[in-house]
């Protein structure tokens, strides 16, 4: 952490930002817009985010094993009117016109049979879709967020998740952007105002422990976020609603 970042953290902390959101025991995983356009070197949207795709794929496998819903989002425009002012502002969105293969998923990360696929036209996965209703009907209290790009659709989805009463856990190394500086600035802002920021390693542990709880002989085991994962105090379950800190 450089001096400027440390100063910013101190300034925001002193101003009353950066509280803690407590994850629950009913998570879902969302994988935002892992479209071919971001991985095709001949496409202007290429972002060099192959490592983030790999991290998201591991989380998808862990979420399925834990019985957590896995949600993929995709973008499609049948006509420019579907995207309104957003489509006008970002001409590159033509890559997601109906029939353009750049809007499809890649073999490395694609929905499986039981996964949910949400088609959207705007940055947030919640706007103009039934995502909020699906999460609430399933009793979801926590949303693990991965995807592209950090400063665009990941950010918009994170803010809306918070507004819908779900704890947003942004998996930092499973989200990517065209520029590392833009990614880092967005992560800083999300951490201080809207979300918890986790690494994929601790997210995997969280999902694996929830998977263990699905086994009848492990029903009494605790699901906790341990100091070696975050540097913070551990957490322990209180019923099925969430966790509280062991301070």
């Amino acid at each position: 952490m450089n001096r400027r970042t440390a100063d910013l953290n101190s300034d925001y902390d002193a101003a009353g930002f950066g509280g803690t959101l407590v994850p629950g025991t009913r998570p879902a995983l969302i994988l935002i817009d892992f479209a071919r356009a971001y991985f095709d070197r001949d496409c202007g949207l290429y972002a060099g985010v192959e490592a983030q795709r790999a991290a998201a794929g591991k989380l998808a496998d862990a979420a399925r094993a834990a019985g957590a819903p896995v949600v993929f989002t995709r973008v499609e425009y049948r006509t420019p009117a579907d995207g309104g002012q957003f489509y006008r502002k970002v001409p590159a969105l033509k890559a997601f016109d109906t029939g353009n293969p750049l809007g499809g998923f890649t073999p490395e990360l694609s929905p499986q049979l039981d996964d949910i696929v949400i088609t959207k036209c705007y940055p947030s996965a919640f706007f103009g879709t039934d995502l909020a209703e699906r999460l609430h009907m399933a009793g979801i209290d926590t949303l693990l967020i991965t995807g592209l790009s950090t400063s665009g659709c990941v950010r918009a989805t994170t803010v809306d998740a918070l507004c819908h009463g779900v704890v947003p856990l942004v998996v930092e190394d499973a989200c990517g952007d065209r520029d590392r500086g833009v990614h880092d600035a967005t992560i800083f802002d999300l951490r201080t105002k809207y979300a918890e920021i986790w690494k994929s390693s601790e997210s995997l542990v969280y999902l694996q422990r929830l998977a263990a709880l699905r086994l009848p002989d492990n029903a009494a085991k605790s699901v906790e976020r341990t100091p070696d994962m975050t540097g913070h105090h551990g957490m322990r379950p209180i019923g099925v609603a969430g966790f509280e800190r062991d301070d």
Side-chain angles (χ1 to χ4, degrees):
M1 181 184 298
N2 60 41
R3 180 175 178 180
R4 175 170 173 74
T5 301
D7 289 345
L8 277 174
N9 285 332
S10 297
D11 176 68
Y12 273 70
D13 288 346
F17 292 94
T20 300
L21 300 177
V22 180
T25 58
R26 297 292 298 274
L29 170 70
I30 190 164
L31 303 101
I32 300 171
D33 301 351
F34 280 98
R36 187 180 301 274
Y38 300 110
F39 303 96
D40 187 331
R41 292 179 181 272
D42 294 326
C43 177
L45 289 173
Y46 175 75
V49 287
E50 287 79 5
Q52 289 84 348
R53 176 178 61 185
K58 292 178 181 178
L59 287 169
D61 290 340
R64 294 181 190 112
V70 174
V71 182
F72 281 78
T73 72
R74 59 184 296 274
V75 177
E76 182 180 356
Y77 300 105
R78 295 167 298 175
T79 70
D82 287 344
Q85 302 298 341
F86 183 43
Y87 193 89
R88 294 185 181 92
K89 182 64 178 176
V90 186
L93 291 175
K94 291 181 175 64
F96 303 105
D97 286 350
T98 297
N100 193 326
L102 291 172
F105 298 106
T106 65
E108 291 84 355
L109 185 58
S110 297
Q112 295 189 7
L113 183 61
D114 292 331
D115 295 342
I116 299 165
V117 178
I118 299 286
T119 299
K120 64 188 183 69
C121 296
Y122 289 88
S124 173
F126 290 90
F127 185 83
T129 76
D130 65 351
L131 178 59
E133 288 76 12
R134 286 176 178 266
L135 297 181
H136 287 310
M137 287 180 63
I140 299 302
D141 54 25
T142 304
L143 188 62
L144 288 157
I145 300 172
T146 71
L148 314 170
S149 63
T150 314
S151 61
C153 297
V154 169
R155 176 188 171 86
T157 299
T158 300
V159 173
D160 277 359
L162 183 79
C163 293
H164 282 286
V166 179
V167 174
L169 302 179
V170 176
V171 187
E172 181 177 7
D173 54 328
C175 297
D177 216 304
R178 293 176 64 84
D179 181 84
R180 180 69 194 196
V182 174
H183 169 86
D184 289 344
T186 303
I187 290 295
F188 175 86
D189 192 53
L190 292 176
R191 177 185 288 114
T192 56
K193 300 175 185 174
Y194 305 111
E196 293 299 301
I197 308 299
W198 283 15
K199 298 291 187 183
S200 59
S201 56
E202 61 186 301
S203 303
L204 285 169
V205 171
Y206 170 64
L207 290 169
Q208 289 162 359
R209 289 177 174 170
L210 289 173
L213 281 177
R214 297 181 67 202
L215 302 175
D217 58 339
N218 289 330
K221 287 187 177 180
S222 67
V223 179
E224 58 185 8
R225 190 176 176 192
T226 57
D228 63 298
M229 294 155 59
T230 66
H232 297 303
H233 295 291
M235 297 177 182
R236 53 187 168 86
I238 45 173
V240 296
F243 296 89
E244 64 182 12
R245 288 193 178 278
D246 283 334
D247 290 323

